[in-house]
Amino acid sequence: MKNTILICFFALSLTGLAQTKKASNLETITVGGGCYWCVEAVYENLNGVKSVVSGFSGGKVANPTYEEVCTGTTGHAEVVQITYDKNVTDLNEIFKVFFTVHDPTTLNRQGADVGTQYRSVIFYKNEEQKNAAQSIIAELNKAKVYDSPIVTKVEPFTKFYKAEDYHQNYYANNKNQPYCKMVIQPKIEKFEKVFKDKLKKK
C-alpha cells in the first residue's frame, strides 16, 4: 500500500521539464540513503545525471577509509555526490528519486544495514538545495506517504571524501553478487517503474 501511495504521489507531480539550448549547467548535491552502492546504481540511470561518486560526508575524520567508516565511529555517512545538468533535470526530481528508493523513516538503518553511517541525510550546499529538501519532506509528511515520520536530516555540506575505487560503479561491476541481486536490483526495478519516462536511453 505504501509503495502504491508513493508512486501515485510522484506520478501526479512529475511533469515535463523545460528543455533549453543553453550550454551545460551543472550542479552537485550530496545525499545519503543507506549503502551507497544502492543509491549510486539508481542515479546512474536517471536522465540528466552526469556522474555519481560514492564516498563519505558528515564526519570529523579526514580521509576516512571504508573500514573506518564501517565502525560507526568517524561520524561519516555513506553518501553519493551527484552531478547533474539543470537543463535536463532538477533538484525536485533528484529528491523524488531519493525518497522513492530508500526508507527515510528508519533511523540509522536501511534494511539489514545498521549504523549511523547508513543514516538518511541530505547535505545542502546553498539555500536553494536546503529549501527544496525541506519542502519535499514537508510535502511527504503532510500527504502521509509513509506510516512513520521522515527522519532524514538536512545538514550543511562541509566535505566529501571519495571512497576507494572498488566501491565506484559497484553494481555495474558486480551484478552477480548476492547483495546486488537481492538488495540493489529491487531498488533499481522500483526506480524504473516510477520514473520510466526519466531514464537514460540505453
Side-chain angles (χ1 to χ4, degrees):
M1 181 63 179
K2 180 174 68 176
N3 287 344
T4 301
I5 295 174
L6 186 63
I7 291 171
C8 291
F9 179 85
F10 286 142
L12 289 172
S13 58
L14 279 173
T15 56
L17 297 172
Q19 301 293 318
T20 71
K21 299 296 184 178
K22 295 180 180 179
S24 179
N25 191 10
L26 302 182
E27 183 168 302
T28 62
I29 183 71
T30 302
V31 300
C35 174
Y36 47 31
W37 296 341
C38 299
V39 185
E40 176 196 65
V42 167
Y43 279 109
E44 285 181 336
N45 291 297
L46 178 65
N47 192 32
V49 169
K50 298 302 181 181
S51 71
V52 188
V53 182
S54 291
F56 315 106
S57 284
K60 298 179 180 179
V61 177
N63 300 307
T65 65
Y66 175 69
E67 288 72 20
E68 289 173 331
V69 173
C70 282
T71 67
T73 61
T74 69
H76 291 91
E78 288 195 13
V79 299
V80 293
Q81 186 163 268
I82 305 160
T83 300
Y84 63 97
D85 187 342
K86 294 196 294 184
N87 294 330
V88 181
T89 187
D90 62 10
L91 265 179
N92 200 33
E93 189 163 73
I94 294 291
F95 289 149
K96 286 173 183 175
V97 172
F98 178 69
F99 286 106
T100 298
V101 299
H102 87 294
D103 185 349
T105 70
T106 53
L107 185 64
N108 298 330
R109 75 174 300 160
Q110 285 295 305
D113 294 325
V114 181
T116 56
Q117 66 270 31
Y118 300 115
R119 64 188 182 273
S120 177
V121 61
I122 296 170
F123 292 105
Y124 63 86
K125 296 182 179 179
N126 52 50
E127 286 300 304
E128 178 189 7
Q129 293 182 351
K130 178 183 178 180
N131 293 337
Q134 292 176 333
S135 176
I136 194 168
I137 290 172
E139 289 176 17
L140 290 169
N141 279 328
K142 183 178 180 180
K144 298 187 183 301
V145 171
Y146 303 97
D147 295 331
S148 302
I150 291 173
V151 297
T152 304
K153 298 293 185 182
V154 179
E155 302 176 359
F157 174 84
T158 54
K159 186 75 175 180
F160 172 81
Y161 297 100
K162 182 180 178 181
E164 295 86 343
D165 287 345
Y166 74 92
H167 290 290
Q168 310 303 325
N169 302 305
Y170 188 86
Y171 175 75
N173 295 327
N174 300 274
K175 289 184 178 180
N176 292 323
Q177 293 289 338
Y179 186 90
C180 292
K181 289 183 176 181
M182 294 185 292
V183 180
I184 303 178
Q185 184 60 37
K187 289 179 181 289
I188 293 176
E189 291 172 354
K190 182 178 181 180
F191 160 73
E192 291 177 341
K193 180 179 180 179
V194 178
F195 296 91
K196 58 185 178 181
D197 296 330
K198 304 298 181 179
L199 303 178
K200 289 180 178 178
K201 295 182 180 179
K202 298 182 178 179

